[in-house]
Each structure stands twice: as structure tokens, then as C-alpha cells.
């Protein structure tokens, strides 16, 4: 079977991936959730013209020259408007957030006045509109300020509150179940026996999934038997998972049982094996509504494939307006050799030179089992199939890894 190009594999994984149904959540629970529909302001902000400073509300015509003398007739504090108009030769003491009284069209800050004997003397001329926040300068009722597909930041939550929304419509979080396979795996803190290794893949992948906005379900480690593997697949289905991630058992060995188990459970396989390094033995299929991605067992292959394929799928199901990773350009920090028929993803360190240039330097060893180099990497250098050798200083495309 020919290896599937990376772009075709990603298109297959994202095919038909529609945002999950919406739900209303309180603002305090909405951080990094994705809006299911546009959200419009329920009020105008500010609802009336308000003072931007502590000072005096005046008529600019009366306070347009230095040494003008005005009579102070009252006071306005935030939330306590003045109940009469400002007339000729009059001023009203006003505090930040106070409603501008009728008749006033400027604010003189208190530092530009001298107060004495129930009045003020102007030391700097007033200008119409100065230090006044006009009604609706922030937004008006009905303005759509938060768009469908937005992943809500902390500032967005403040805006939604100001728009008078106590709760907000968001897409349901995708549920991602993760099943590791392999008799060679033991949990962290355990004592590996002969030929065994400590299980690590799931920790990075669950963190990646949560970073992208998903809920995760840990199905543990399945032994290298059809019964154990199919049991894990059934538990994922019964849990209501939107995505099942398997780790390991995706290659062609006698003990690589995941593909056989998935097909035995009725998974319709879309592809198996893709033209990329690391990560060639990767699978994708569907079991009813549940999407299945079978990742390689090597930790670097598993993570790189999760980053490239799982993250966009979570974004699509979450309703994000931006699904694909954004490519950037950097300069190679050292020479790289010519590439073969597979698209290559080189783990790389990043640094910013004094002249502003971004330098991507591949780590020394690209073996797909090396966790230390994966942790040190801050980006992936993307090398197209059959790319020629490139010297240090050559421009290259990179994908930044999550912080």
C-alpha cells in the first residue's frame, strides 16, 4: 500500500468534523471555551456621557480662558447623577465615572483649578468634549463584539460581562479517550522488568488535548492481546468519547494488534501508514460517531502525530474558527541533508539573534525514542518530500510547539 501524503491524511481526519452541540456556561467557566454563536451587546457602554477624570463639569463657553471664575453648585459621583442642569457661570464637582450633567460639555481636571469660597478659578482653558467619555464610545446595544468560533480569552470574558451576559453559548468540549497498548509498558513509579519501559506517551498527549480544549479519558494500558485491546475500544465507545486515541501496536509485527482489533470491532479504516517522519505507522477510522486515530508507540512519533493531527481535529470539533497550525519562517541553525520520499518533521531549538532573525537549529539526534530532545525542542522544522540539502542560514518553515 502506498504511503498517504500528510496533507491528504489531515484532510481525511478533518472530513465532516463539525462543531459539537452548544451549551450555556457561566462566565467563570468559559475561559478558553469556543463560542457556538455570535454574541451581541445587551446594553450600550457607557450608557450616558461620563467623566474620564476627577474635576469639574463645566460649559466650555464659560471656562474657555484662564482666570475664569465659576460657582460650584453641586457634586456628581459614579452612580449618583446630578439632578439639575449646569447654567452660565456654574460648575459641578465631578468624579471619574460620574454622569455629565445636562448643560455641561467639558470637564476641567481638578489640577487645573483653584478652589475657594464655594467656587473655582480656571488655570487652564476648557475645550468642548475634553475628558468626557461619550455614550457608546465602547460599544452600543446590538453590536456583535464576540464572533462564533472565538476561543475566549480572559479579556473576552471581561467584555462579555460588560455586555451584560452572565453566561455565554459555547460548543461542548470534545471528549478524547486514550488507550495505550503493550506488555512492555509500566506506569511511572513502577519497577520495569527485563525489556520493559516506563509509559510516557499519554501524559504529553492528554496535556496537549486539554491545552486544545478537550476533556480526556484515560483508559490505561491494554496488554498485547486481542481481548484486552478490544475491551479498551469498547470502553472508549461506551464512555461517549468523540475521539479514541490508541498508542502503540500500529505497526506490522505479530504483537501489533490495534488495527486488527479496530477492524474486528467494526471500525471503518480511512488510512493506515502515512508519508511522514516520525510517525509512518498511523491509522485513522470511524466507529459510528467516534473518530479513531491510531498513533505509533515511539514517544516522539506519538507526540508529533498528536500535534499534527489530533490538535486540528479537536479544534474543528470545538468550533474554532482557526483549525490548522500556523507556519512561520526561520533560518536554519545548521546544515541539513537531503530528504527522502517522506515529509520530515525535525525537532528544533529556537533562538532570536540580536539582529531579530529567528534561528531554528535541529537537535543533534532525531531518533523517535528520545524524550530529552523532544522536551528541548520548541518547534518542528518541516521538510518537504525530496527536499534538497540546505545550508545553515537557509530559510525554512517551522511549526511552533505548545509552551
Amino acid at each position: 500500500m502506498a504511503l498517504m501524503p500528510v496533507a491528504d491524511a489531515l484532510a481525511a481526519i478533518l472530513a465532516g468534523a463539525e462543531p459539537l452541540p452548544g451549551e450555556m456556561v457561566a462566565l467563570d467557566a468559559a475561559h478558553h471555551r469556543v463560542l457556538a454563536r455570535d454574541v451581541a451587546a445587551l446594553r450600550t457602554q457607557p450608557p450616558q456621557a461620563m467623566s474620564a477624570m476627577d474635576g469639574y463639569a463645566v460649559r466650555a463657553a464659560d471656562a474657555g480662558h484662564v482666570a475664569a471664575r465659576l460657582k460650584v453648585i453641586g457634586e456628581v459621583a459614579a452612580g449618583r447623577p446630578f439632578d439639575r442642569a449646569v447654567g452660565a457661570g456654574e460648575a459641578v464637582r465631578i468624579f471619574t465615572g460620574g454622569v455629565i450633567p445636562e448643560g455641561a460639555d467639558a470637564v476641567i481636571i481638578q489640577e487645573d483649578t483653584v478652589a475657594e469660597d464655594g467656587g473655582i478659578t480656571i488655570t487652564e482653558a476648557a475645550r468642548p468634549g475634553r475628558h468626557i467619555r461619550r455614550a457608546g464610545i465602547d460599544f452600543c446595544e446590538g453590536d456583535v463584539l464576540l464572533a462564533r468560533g472565538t476561543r475566549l480569552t480572559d479579556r473576552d470574558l471581561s467584555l462579555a460581562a460588560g455586555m451584560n451576559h452572565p453566561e455565554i453559548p459555547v460548543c461542548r468540549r470534545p471528549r478524547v479517550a486514550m488507550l495505550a497498548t503493550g506488555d512492555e509498558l509500566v506506569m511511572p513509579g513502577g519497577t520495569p522488568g527485563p525489556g520493559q519501559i516506563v509509559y510516557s506517551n499519554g501524559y504529553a498527549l492528554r496535556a496537549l488535548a486539554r491545552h486544545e480544549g478537550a476533556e480526556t479519558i484515560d483508559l490505561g494500558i491494554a496488554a498485547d492481546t486481542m481481548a484486552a485491546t478490544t475491551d479498551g475500544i469498547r470502553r472508549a465507545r461506551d464512555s461517549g468519547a468523540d475521539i479514541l486515541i490508541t498508542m502503540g501496536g500500529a505497526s506490522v509485527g505479530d504483537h501489533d494488534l490495534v488495527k486488527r482489533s479496530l477492524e474486528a470491532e467494526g471500525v471503518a479504516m480511512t488510512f493506515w501508514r502515512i508519508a511522514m517522519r516520525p510517525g509512518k505507522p498511523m491509522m485513522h477510522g470511524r466507529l459510528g460517531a467516534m473518530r479513531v486515530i491510531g498513533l505509533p508507540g515511539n514517544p516522539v512519533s506519538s507526540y508529533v502525530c498528536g500535534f499534527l493531527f489530533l490538535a486540528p481535529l479537536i479544534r474543528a470539533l470545538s468550533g474554532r474558527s482557526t483549525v490548522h497550525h500556523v507556519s512561520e519562517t526561520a533560518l536554519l541553525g545548521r546544515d541539513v541533508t537531503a530528504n527522502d520520499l517522506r515529509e520530515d518533521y525535525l525537532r528544533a531549538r529556537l533562538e532570536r539573534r540580536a539582529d531579530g532573525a529567528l534561528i531554528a537549529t535541529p537537535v543533534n539526534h532525531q531518533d523517535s525514542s528520545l524524550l530529552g530532545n523532544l522536551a528541548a525542542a520548541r518547534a518542528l522544522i518541516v521538510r518537504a518530500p525530496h527536499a534538497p540539502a540546505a545550508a545553515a542560514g537557509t530559510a525554512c518553515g517551522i511549526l511552533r510547539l505548545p509552551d
Side-chain angles (χ1 to χ4, degrees):
M1 180 185 295
L3 301 181
M4 178 174 280
V6 172
D8 292 349
L10 181 57
I13 286 173
L14 294 178
E18 296 293 331
L20 295 170
E23 59 187 10
M24 298 297 292
V25 300
L27 289 183
D28 274 339
H31 189 222
H32 283 171
R33 299 294 296 272
V34 180
L35 280 179
R37 63 174 186 267
D38 292 349
V39 175
L42 300 178
R43 62 186 295 274
T44 295
Q45 173 67 17
Q48 299 166 282
M50 294 183 174
S51 178
M53 303 289 284
D54 292 342
Y56 296 87
V58 300
R59 303 191 328 163
D62 297 334
H65 61 279
V66 173
R69 175 77 178 169
L70 302 176
K71 179 183 178 182
V72 178
I73 61 171
E75 180 179 287
V76 179
R80 297 202 301 272
F82 193 56
D83 60 3
R84 54 159 286 194
V86 176
E90 295 178 333
V92 172
R93 181 77 166 105
I94 195 166
F95 298 93
T96 303
V99 174
I100 301 298
E102 182 183 350
D105 63 355
V107 170
I108 294 284
I109 62 174
Q110 61 189 28
E111 295 92 331
D112 294 336
T113 65
V114 176
E116 56 186 354
D117 300 329
I120 57 171
T121 300
I122 306 301
T123 60
E124 183 174 326
R127 295 199 305 268
R130 192 176 188 191
H131 303 311
I132 292 178
R133 296 172 179 148
R134 59 176 174 78
I137 192 173
D138 196 353
F139 51 81
C140 294
E141 183 177 351
D143 287 349
V144 174
L145 302 174
L146 294 170
R148 175 185 177 183
T150 299
R151 194 181 193 199
L152 294 163
T153 66
D154 46 8
R155 288 93 64 207
D156 292 332
L157 299 183
S158 182
L159 174 58
M163 293 159 65
N164 208 25
H165 289 277
E167 56 184 11
I168 206 158
V170 297
C171 295
R172 178 174 66 75
R173 293 182 188 273
R175 289 190 285 268
V176 181
M178 296 195 181
L179 176 68
T181 65
D183 291 338
E184 76 277 15
L185 301 178
V186 297
M187 294 298 290
T191 302
Q196 290 189 309
I197 59 173
V198 176
Y199 170 55
S200 62
N201 299 17
Y203 295 93
L205 289 167
R206 285 194 296 274
L208 174 68
R210 290 191 293 267
H211 175 79
E212 293 296 342
E215 297 176 356
T216 60
I217 303 165
D218 183 7
L219 299 175
I221 302 171
D224 280 328
T225 67
M226 286 284 289
T229 306
T230 55
D231 175 69
I233 296 167
R234 291 170 184 171
R235 285 188 289 125
R237 180 196 59 205
D238 294 344
S239 74
D242 302 293
I243 305 169
L244 167 62
I245 298 296
T246 64
M247 293 164 280
S251 194
V252 295
D254 293 342
H255 298 284
D256 294 318
L257 305 174
V258 173
K259 184 172 182 289
R260 278 183 277 165
S261 299
L262 290 171
E263 290 174 333
E265 286 301 297
V267 173
M269 302 302 297
T270 305
F271 64 78
W272 173 53
R273 301 200 312 163
I274 55 180
M276 66 176 287
R277 180 190 301 104
K280 180 177 73 172
M282 197 185 94
M283 300 176 288
H284 173 255
R286 295 283 294 270
L287 180 58
M290 185 172 70
R291 298 165 184 272
V292 181
I293 299 177
L295 300 179
N298 274 321
V300 175
S301 303
S302 180
Y303 180 80
V304 170
C305 288
F307 172 73
L308 294 176
F309 299 102
L310 173 60
L313 178 57
I314 291 172
R315 294 173 187 177
L317 295 178
S318 299
R320 296 264 293 273
S321 56
T322 300
V323 171
H324 296 280
H325 295 301
V326 177
S327 179
E328 298 178 57
T329 300
L331 301 179
L332 284 171
R334 64 175 175 84
D335 298 350
V336 294
T337 60
N339 198 13
D340 62 12
L341 59 84
R342 288 193 283 169
E343 193 161 304
D344 211 350
Y345 293 85
L346 303 175
R347 279 74 69 205
R349 294 178 170 86
L350 289 180
E351 61 176 333
R352 185 75 66 177
R353 278 195 328 218
D355 63 2
L358 183 63
I359 308 300
T361 303
V363 298
N364 290 332
H365 300 289
Q366 295 288 328
D367 186 280
S368 59
S369 68
L370 303 181
L371 286 170
N373 279 344
L374 177 63
R378 290 297 175 265
L380 300 175
I381 297 172
V382 184
R383 298 271 291 155
H386 306 294
T394 303
C396 62
I398 65 166
L399 300 174
R400 286 185 189 261
L401 297 172
D403 291 329

PDB file of all heavy atoms in Angstrom, residues 150-177:
ATOM      1  N   THR A 150     -14.708  31.983  18.214  1.00  0.00           N
ATOM      2  CA  THR A 150     -13.671  32.603  19.028  1.00  0.00           C
ATOM      3  C   THR A 150     -13.368  31.737  20.243  1.00  0.00           C
ATOM      4  O   THR A 150     -14.281  31.317  20.960  1.00  0.00           O
ATOM      5  CB  THR A 150     -14.113  33.998  19.507  1.00  0.00           C
ATOM      6  OG1 THR A 150     -14.341  34.839  18.372  1.00  0.00           O
ATOM      7  CG2 THR A 150     -13.076  34.630  20.419  1.00  0.00           C
ATOM      8  N   ARG A 151     -12.093  31.469  20.475  1.00  0.00           N
ATOM      9  CA  ARG A 151     -11.699  30.817  21.720  1.00  0.00           C
ATOM     10  C   ARG A 151     -11.499  31.914  22.753  1.00  0.00           C
ATOM     11  O   ARG A 151     -10.629  32.770  22.605  1.00  0.00           O
ATOM     12  CB  ARG A 151     -10.422  30.000  21.546  1.00  0.00           C
ATOM     13  CG  ARG A 151     -10.187  29.056  22.734  1.00  0.00           C
ATOM     14  CD  ARG A 151      -8.911  28.270  22.580  1.00  0.00           C
ATOM     15  NE  ARG A 151      -8.875  27.182  23.549  1.00  0.00           N
ATOM     16  CZ  ARG A 151      -7.780  26.537  23.914  1.00  0.00           C
ATOM     17  NH1 ARG A 151      -6.611  26.866  23.387  1.00  0.00           N
ATOM     18  NH2 ARG A 151      -7.820  25.562  24.801  1.00  0.00           N
ATOM     19  N   LEU A 152     -12.296  31.897  23.795  1.00  0.00           N
ATOM     20  CA  LEU A 152     -12.434  33.045  24.687  1.00  0.00           C
ATOM     21  C   LEU A 152     -11.199  33.247  25.559  1.00  0.00           C
ATOM     22  O   LEU A 152     -10.772  32.342  26.286  1.00  0.00           O
ATOM     23  CB  LEU A 152     -13.667  32.874  25.567  1.00  0.00           C
ATOM     24  CG  LEU A 152     -15.001  32.901  24.800  1.00  0.00           C
ATOM     25  CD1 LEU A 152     -16.117  32.317  25.646  1.00  0.00           C
ATOM     26  CD2 LEU A 152     -15.342  34.309  24.357  1.00  0.00           C
ATOM     27  N   THR A 153     -10.659  34.451  25.497  1.00  0.00           N
ATOM     28  CA  THR A 153      -9.547  34.838  26.364  1.00  0.00           C
ATOM     29  C   THR A 153     -10.093  35.412  27.661  1.00  0.00           C
ATOM     30  O   THR A 153     -11.299  35.633  27.818  1.00  0.00           O
ATOM     31  CB  THR A 153      -8.680  35.907  25.678  1.00  0.00           C
ATOM     32  OG1 THR A 153      -9.458  37.116  25.544  1.00  0.00           O
ATOM     33  CG2 THR A 153      -8.216  35.452  24.305  1.00  0.00           C
ATOM     34  N   ASP A 154      -9.185  35.710  28.597  1.00  0.00           N
ATOM     35  CA  ASP A 154      -9.610  36.361  29.832  1.00  0.00           C
ATOM     36  C   ASP A 154     -10.205  37.739  29.540  1.00  0.00           C
ATOM     37  O   ASP A 154     -11.183  38.155  30.162  1.00  0.00           O
ATOM     38  CB  ASP A 154      -8.435  36.461  30.819  1.00  0.00           C
ATOM     39  CG  ASP A 154      -7.138  36.948  30.176  1.00  0.00           C
ATOM     40  OD1 ASP A 154      -7.151  37.356  28.992  1.00  0.00           O
ATOM     41  OD2 ASP A 154      -6.104  36.924  30.876  1.00  0.00           O
ATOM     42  N   ARG A 155      -9.654  38.462  28.550  1.00  0.00           N
ATOM     43  CA  ARG A 155     -10.211  39.771  28.193  1.00  0.00           C
ATOM     44  C   ARG A 155     -11.588  39.648  27.573  1.00  0.00           C
ATOM     45  O   ARG A 155     -12.459  40.489  27.789  1.00  0.00           O
ATOM     46  CB  ARG A 155      -9.274  40.511  27.231  1.00  0.00           C
ATOM     47  CG  ARG A 155      -7.986  41.034  27.852  1.00  0.00           C
ATOM     48  CD  ARG A 155      -6.861  40.059  27.716  1.00  0.00           C
ATOM     49  NE  ARG A 155      -6.494  39.819  26.334  1.00  0.00           N
ATOM     50  CZ  ARG A 155      -5.932  38.669  25.921  1.00  0.00           C
ATOM     51  NH1 ARG A 155      -5.691  37.687  26.787  1.00  0.00           N
ATOM     52  NH2 ARG A 155      -5.596  38.515  24.639  1.00  0.00           N
ATOM     53  N   ASP A 156     -11.804  38.581  26.804  1.00  0.00           N
ATOM     54  CA  ASP A 156     -13.130  38.360  26.223  1.00  0.00           C
ATOM     55  C   ASP A 156     -14.187  38.176  27.311  1.00  0.00           C
ATOM     56  O   ASP A 156     -15.335  38.620  27.161  1.00  0.00           O
ATOM     57  CB  ASP A 156     -13.121  37.126  25.323  1.00  0.00           C
ATOM     58  CG  ASP A 156     -12.289  37.307  24.065  1.00  0.00           C
ATOM     59  OD1 ASP A 156     -12.162  38.455  23.595  1.00  0.00           O
ATOM     60  OD2 ASP A 156     -11.773  36.302  23.559  1.00  0.00           O
ATOM     61  N   LEU A 157     -13.815  37.510  28.404  1.00  0.00           N
ATOM     62  CA  LEU A 157     -14.775  37.305  29.488  1.00  0.00           C
ATOM     63  C   LEU A 157     -15.163  38.629  30.119  1.00  0.00           C
ATOM     64  O   LEU A 157     -16.334  38.859  30.460  1.00  0.00           O
ATOM     65  CB  LEU A 157     -14.196  36.360  30.541  1.00  0.00           C
ATOM     66  CG  LEU A 157     -13.836  34.952  30.059  1.00  0.00           C
ATOM     67  CD1 LEU A 157     -13.348  34.105  31.228  1.00  0.00           C
ATOM     68  CD2 LEU A 157     -15.007  34.280  29.374  1.00  0.00           C
ATOM     69  N   SER A 158     -14.194  39.523  30.274  1.00  0.00           N
ATOM     70  CA  SER A 158     -14.499  40.842  30.817  1.00  0.00           C
ATOM     71  C   SER A 158     -15.429  41.595  29.874  1.00  0.00           C
ATOM     72  O   SER A 158     -16.396  42.251  30.314  1.00  0.00           O
ATOM     73  CB  SER A 158     -13.200  41.626  31.019  1.00  0.00           C
ATOM     74  OG  SER A 158     -13.455  42.882  31.591  1.00  0.00           O
ATOM     75  N   LEU A 159     -15.174  41.497  28.580  1.00  0.00           N
ATOM     76  CA  LEU A 159     -16.040  42.146  27.599  1.00  0.00           C
ATOM     77  C   LEU A 159     -17.455  41.583  27.659  1.00  0.00           C
ATOM     78  O   LEU A 159     -18.433  42.336  27.658  1.00  0.00           O
ATOM     79  CB  LEU A 159     -15.452  41.962  26.198  1.00  0.00           C
ATOM     80  CG  LEU A 159     -16.303  42.452  25.027  1.00  0.00           C
ATOM     81  CD1 LEU A 159     -16.620  43.928  25.152  1.00  0.00           C
ATOM     82  CD2 LEU A 159     -15.603  42.158  23.705  1.00  0.00           C
ATOM     83  N   ALA A 160     -17.568  40.252  27.719  1.00  0.00           N
ATOM     84  CA  ALA A 160     -18.897  39.639  27.786  1.00  0.00           C
ATOM     85  C   ALA A 160     -19.658  40.103  29.020  1.00  0.00           C
ATOM     86  O   ALA A 160     -20.868  40.352  28.962  1.00  0.00           O
ATOM     87  CB  ALA A 160     -18.771  38.118  27.778  1.00  0.00           C
ATOM     88  N   ALA A 161     -18.955  40.213  30.135  1.00  0.00           N
ATOM     89  CA  ALA A 161     -19.602  40.712  31.348  1.00  0.00           C
ATOM     90  C   ALA A 161     -20.070  42.147  31.148  1.00  0.00           C
ATOM     91  O   ALA A 161     -21.206  42.500  31.519  1.00  0.00           O
ATOM     92  CB  ALA A 161     -18.640  40.624  32.527  1.00  0.00           C
ATOM     93  N   GLY A 162     -19.217  42.997  30.569  1.00  0.00           N
ATOM     94  CA  GLY A 162     -19.601  44.372  30.307  1.00  0.00           C
ATOM     95  C   GLY A 162     -20.773  44.475  29.361  1.00  0.00           C
ATOM     96  O   GLY A 162     -21.564  45.428  29.428  1.00  0.00           O
ATOM     97  N   MET A 163     -20.913  43.487  28.462  1.00  0.00           N
ATOM     98  CA  MET A 163     -22.047  43.443  27.538  1.00  0.00           C
ATOM     99  C   MET A 163     -23.316  42.964  28.227  1.00  0.00           C
ATOM    100  O   MET A 163     -24.374  42.876  27.600  1.00  0.00           O
ATOM    101  CB  MET A 163     -21.710  42.524  26.370  1.00  0.00           C
ATOM    102  CG  MET A 163     -20.597  43.032  25.470  1.00  0.00           C
ATOM    103  SD  MET A 163     -19.817  41.710  24.493  1.00  0.00           S
ATOM    104  CE  MET A 163     -21.165  41.201  23.431  1.00  0.00           C
ATOM    105  N   ASN A 164     -23.187  42.605  29.514  1.00  0.00           N
ATOM    106  CA  ASN A 164     -24.303  42.190  30.375  1.00  0.00           C
ATOM    107  C   ASN A 164     -24.745  40.749  30.150  1.00  0.00           C
ATOM    108  O   ASN A 164     -25.917  40.410  30.323  1.00  0.00           O
ATOM    109  CB  ASN A 164     -25.500  43.134  30.232  1.00  0.00           C
ATOM    110  CG  ASN A 164     -26.343  43.171  31.495  1.00  0.00           C
ATOM    111  OD1 ASN A 164     -25.855  42.896  32.598  1.00  0.00           O
ATOM    112  ND2 ASN A 164     -27.614  43.516  31.359  1.00  0.00           N
ATOM    113  N   HIS A 165     -23.787  39.875  29.829  1.00  0.00           N
ATOM    114  CA  HIS A 165     -24.064  38.447  29.683  1.00  0.00           C
ATOM    115  C   HIS A 165     -23.536  37.708  30.905  1.00  0.00           C
ATOM    116  O   HIS A 165     -22.327  37.629  31.107  1.00  0.00           O
ATOM    117  CB  HIS A 165     -23.378  37.890  28.429  1.00  0.00           C
ATOM    118  CG  HIS A 165     -23.987  38.341  27.153  1.00  0.00           C
ATOM    119  ND1 HIS A 165     -25.092  37.744  26.601  1.00  0.00           N
ATOM    120  CD2 HIS A 165     -23.648  39.358  26.310  1.00  0.00           C
ATOM    121  CE1 HIS A 165     -25.403  38.348  25.468  1.00  0.00           C
ATOM    122  NE2 HIS A 165     -24.550  39.334  25.275  1.00  0.00           N
ATOM    123  N   PRO A 166     -24.421  37.125  31.730  1.00  0.00           N
ATOM    124  CA  PRO A 166     -23.945  36.336  32.869  1.00  0.00           C
ATOM    125  C   PRO A 166     -23.463  34.945  32.457  1.00  0.00           C
ATOM    126  O   PRO A 166     -22.694  34.304  33.171  1.00  0.00           O
ATOM    127  CB  PRO A 166     -25.175  36.229  33.770  1.00  0.00           C
ATOM    128  CG  PRO A 166     -26.335  36.306  32.819  1.00  0.00           C
ATOM    129  CD  PRO A 166     -25.901  37.230  31.712  1.00  0.00           C
ATOM    130  N   GLU A 167     -23.915  34.466  31.321  1.00  0.00           N
ATOM    131  CA  GLU A 167     -23.480  33.192  30.773  1.00  0.00           C
ATOM    132  C   GLU A 167     -23.375  33.336  29.263  1.00  0.00           C
ATOM    133  O   GLU A 167     -23.854  34.322  28.683  1.00  0.00           O
ATOM    134  CB  GLU A 167     -24.427  32.058  31.154  1.00  0.00           C
ATOM    135  CG  GLU A 167     -25.869  32.293  30.759  1.00  0.00           C
ATOM    136  CD  GLU A 167     -26.788  31.175  31.240  1.00  0.00           C
ATOM    137  OE1 GLU A 167     -26.346  30.334  32.045  1.00  0.00           O
ATOM    138  OE2 GLU A 167     -27.937  31.137  30.767  1.00  0.00           O
ATOM    139  N   ILE A 168     -22.763  32.344  28.625  1.00  0.00           N
ATOM    140  CA  ILE A 168     -22.405  32.534  27.219  1.00  0.00           C
ATOM    141  C   ILE A 168     -22.506  31.192  26.496  1.00  0.00           C
ATOM    142  O   ILE A 168     -22.258  30.140  27.091  1.00  0.00           O
ATOM    143  CB  ILE A 168     -20.985  33.153  27.145  1.00  0.00           C
ATOM    144  CG1 ILE A 168     -20.787  33.932  25.872  1.00  0.00           C
ATOM    145  CG2 ILE A 168     -19.917  32.122  27.376  1.00  0.00           C
ATOM    146  CD1 ILE A 168     -19.679  34.955  25.978  1.00  0.00           C
ATOM    147  N   PRO A 169     -22.881  31.198  25.199  1.00  0.00           N
ATOM    148  CA  PRO A 169     -23.053  29.932  24.468  1.00  0.00           C
ATOM    149  C   PRO A 169     -21.727  29.427  23.903  1.00  0.00           C
ATOM    150  O   PRO A 169     -21.045  30.130  23.148  1.00  0.00           O
ATOM    151  CB  PRO A 169     -24.010  30.321  23.335  1.00  0.00           C
ATOM    152  CG  PRO A 169     -23.714  31.768  23.065  1.00  0.00           C
ATOM    153  CD  PRO A 169     -23.314  32.363  24.387  1.00  0.00           C
ATOM    154  N   VAL A 170     -21.350  28.219  24.262  1.00  0.00           N
ATOM    155  CA  VAL A 170     -20.092  27.635  23.792  1.00  0.00           C
ATOM    156  C   VAL A 170     -20.348  26.232  23.256  1.00  0.00           C
ATOM    157  O   VAL A 170     -21.355  25.595  23.580  1.00  0.00           O
ATOM    158  CB  VAL A 170     -19.041  27.573  24.924  1.00  0.00           C
ATOM    159  CG1 VAL A 170     -18.674  28.960  25.401  1.00  0.00           C
ATOM    160  CG2 VAL A 170     -19.544  26.730  26.089  1.00  0.00           C
ATOM    161  N   CYS A 171     -19.448  25.762  22.417  1.00  0.00           N
ATOM    162  CA  CYS A 171     -19.528  24.387  21.929  1.00  0.00           C
ATOM    163  C   CYS A 171     -19.107  23.422  23.035  1.00  0.00           C
ATOM    164  O   CYS A 171     -18.235  23.734  23.845  1.00  0.00           O
ATOM    165  CB  CYS A 171     -18.625  24.189  20.717  1.00  0.00           C
ATOM    166  SG  CYS A 171     -19.123  25.141  19.262  1.00  0.00           S
ATOM    167  N   ARG A 172     -19.737  22.265  23.043  1.00  0.00           N
ATOM    168  CA  ARG A 172     -19.327  21.239  24.002  1.00  0.00           C
ATOM    169  C   ARG A 172     -17.876  20.864  23.754  1.00  0.00           C
ATOM    170  O   ARG A 172     -17.408  20.819  22.626  1.00  0.00           O
ATOM    171  CB  ARG A 172     -20.228  20.006  23.870  1.00  0.00           C
ATOM    172  CG  ARG A 172     -19.826  18.869  24.803  1.00  0.00           C
ATOM    173  CD  ARG A 172     -20.794  17.716  24.780  1.00  0.00           C
ATOM    174  NE  ARG A 172     -20.856  16.991  23.533  1.00  0.00           N
ATOM    175  CZ  ARG A 172     -19.942  16.130  23.096  1.00  0.00           C
ATOM    176  NH1 ARG A 172     -18.840  15.903  23.802  1.00  0.00           N
ATOM    177  NH2 ARG A 172     -20.126  15.485  21.960  1.00  0.00           N
ATOM    178  N   ARG A 173     -17.153  20.589  24.838  1.00  0.00           N
ATOM    179  CA  ARG A 173     -15.764  20.148  24.706  1.00  0.00           C
ATOM    180  C   ARG A 173     -15.722  18.745  24.088  1.00  0.00           C
ATOM    181  O   ARG A 173     -16.473  17.853  24.518  1.00  0.00           O
ATOM    182  CB  ARG A 173     -15.082  20.081  26.068  1.00  0.00           C
ATOM    183  CG  ARG A 173     -14.867  21.415  26.766  1.00  0.00           C
ATOM    184  CD  ARG A 173     -14.128  21.158  28.063  1.00  0.00           C
ATOM    185  NE  ARG A 173     -14.019  22.320  28.916  1.00  0.00           N
ATOM    186  CZ  ARG A 173     -13.050  23.221  28.833  1.00  0.00           C
ATOM    187  NH1 ARG A 173     -12.112  23.066  27.916  1.00  0.00           N
ATOM    188  NH2 ARG A 173     -13.002  24.246  29.652  1.00  0.00           N
ATOM    189  N   PRO A 174     -14.835  18.503  23.127  1.00  0.00           N
ATOM    190  CA  PRO A 174     -14.656  17.128  22.655  1.00  0.00           C
ATOM    191  C   PRO A 174     -14.126  16.240  23.782  1.00  0.00           C
ATOM    192  O   PRO A 174     -13.322  16.669  24.605  1.00  0.00           O
ATOM    193  CB  PRO A 174     -13.605  17.267  21.540  1.00  0.00           C
ATOM    194  CG  PRO A 174     -13.646  18.702  21.139  1.00  0.00           C
ATOM    195  CD  PRO A 174     -14.006  19.463  22.377  1.00  0.00           C
ATOM    196  N   ARG A 175     -14.601  15.006  23.794  1.00  0.00           N
ATOM    197  CA  ARG A 175     -14.117  14.020  24.764  1.00  0.00           C
ATOM    198  C   ARG A 175     -13.142  13.088  24.052  1.00  0.00           C
ATOM    199  O   ARG A 175     -13.515  12.430  23.074  1.00  0.00           O
ATOM    200  CB  ARG A 175     -15.282  13.240  25.368  1.00  0.00           C
ATOM    201  CG  ARG A 175     -16.141  14.079  26.308  1.00  0.00           C
ATOM    202  CD  ARG A 175     -17.138  13.206  27.062  1.00  0.00           C
ATOM    203  NE  ARG A 175     -18.239  12.796  26.190  1.00  0.00           N
ATOM    204  CZ  ARG A 175     -19.384  13.457  26.067  1.00  0.00           C
ATOM    205  NH1 ARG A 175     -19.578  14.571  26.753  1.00  0.00           N
ATOM    206  NH2 ARG A 175     -20.339  13.013  25.264  1.00  0.00           N
ATOM    207  N   VAL A 176     -11.909  13.044  24.559  1.00  0.00           N
ATOM    208  CA  VAL A 176     -10.849  12.255  23.926  1.00  0.00           C
ATOM    209  C   VAL A 176     -10.443  11.128  24.871  1.00  0.00           C
ATOM    210  O   VAL A 176      -9.940  11.384  25.973  1.00  0.00           O
ATOM    211  CB  VAL A 176      -9.626  13.130  23.585  1.00  0.00           C
ATOM    212  CG1 VAL A 176      -8.550  12.286  22.907  1.00  0.00           C
ATOM    213  CG2 VAL A 176     -10.039  14.300  22.689  1.00  0.00           C
ATOM    214  N   ALA A 177     -10.692   9.890  24.451  1.00  0.00           N
ATOM    215  CA  ALA A 177     -10.270   8.722  25.226  1.00  0.00           C
ATOM    216  C   ALA A 177      -8.915   8.251  24.709  1.00  0.00           C
ATOM    217  O   ALA A 177      -8.674   8.255  23.493  1.00  0.00           O
ATOM    218  CB  ALA A 177     -11.296   7.609  25.110  1.00  0.00           C
TER     219      ALA A 177
END
